[in-house]
Amino acid sequence: QVQLVESGGGLVQAGGSLRLSCACSRSIDDINAMGWYRQAPGKQRELVARITYTGDTNYADSVKGRFAISKDTAKNMVYLQMNSLKPEDTAVYYCSAHFLLEDHWGQGTQVVVSA
């Protein structure tokens, strides 16, 4: 069992920045990978970024170079720094925990980027 709580969403103008935070209820060193997904209205949930327990990262092509995922193992926190935001980044952003056989999701935090 794991609980994930996201925070840091809000309204920002295009070109601005936001930093999302995810608090995890268990040691993130015990989790294969932590990630961020997003879902815009009328669209499928999509991978934004992921970081493994070893620190390896991967990003969606649409955010590469603009977003950065990081973690603080001592605090069991995962972050998503979002820079140069675009209106198409508007979505609910979900923190995720990926085990071998099971995925868990937070409740999400809304990000709105105005033109």
Side-chain angles (χ1 to χ4, degrees), residues 4 6 20 22 33-40 44-51 58 60 63 67 69 78 80 82 89-98 103-111:
L4 305 169
E6 304 96 334
L20 306 183
C22 174
M34 300 293 297
W36 289 94
Y37 285 68
R38 67 186 181 187
Q39 187 167 26
Q44 297 290 106
R45 185 178 298 184
E46 65 174 348
L47 171 70
V48 177
R50 190 152 52 190
I51 185 166
N58 64 285
V63 307
F67 292 9
I69 189 170
V78 180
L80 184 69
M82 305 186 294
D89 295 319
T90 295
V92 177
Y93 284 71
Y94 298 90
C95 184
S96 60
H98 304 277
D103 297 331
H104 293 263
W105 308 89
Q107 291 298 305
T109 185
Q110 177 71 243
V111 172

Side-chain angles (χ1 to χ4, degrees), residues 18-99:
L18 283 174
R19 188 195 193 205
L20 306 183
S21 299
C22 174
C24 184
S25 65
R26 64 190 290 175
S27 174
I28 59 177
D29 281 339
D30 294 334
I31 302 170
N32 289 352
M34 300 293 297
W36 289 94
Y37 285 68
R38 67 186 181 187
Q39 187 167 26
K43 298 181 68 176
Q44 297 290 106
R45 185 178 298 184
E46 65 174 348
L47 171 70
V48 177
R50 190 152 52 190
I51 185 166
T52 70
Y53 75 98
T54 62
D56 295 324
T57 60
N58 64 285
Y59 298 90
D61 288 341
S62 60
V63 307
K64 191 173 183 179
R66 299 189 297 121
F67 292 9
I69 189 170
S70 62
K71 61 180 179 178
D72 186 335
T73 302
K75 295 182 177 180
N76 292 329
M77 297 287 292
V78 180
Y79 307 97
L80 184 69
Q81 179 66 46
M82 305 186 294
N83 299 323
S84 301
L85 283 161
K86 305 174 181 179
E88 51 262 44
D89 295 319
T90 295
V92 177
Y93 284 71
Y94 298 90
C95 184
S96 60
H98 304 277
F99 299 85

Side-chain angles (χ1 to χ4, degrees), residues 3-20:
Q3 291 179 302
L4 305 169
V5 180
E6 304 96 334
S7 62
L11 174 65
V12 65
Q13 294 186 46
S17 298
L18 283 174
R19 188 195 193 205
L20 306 183

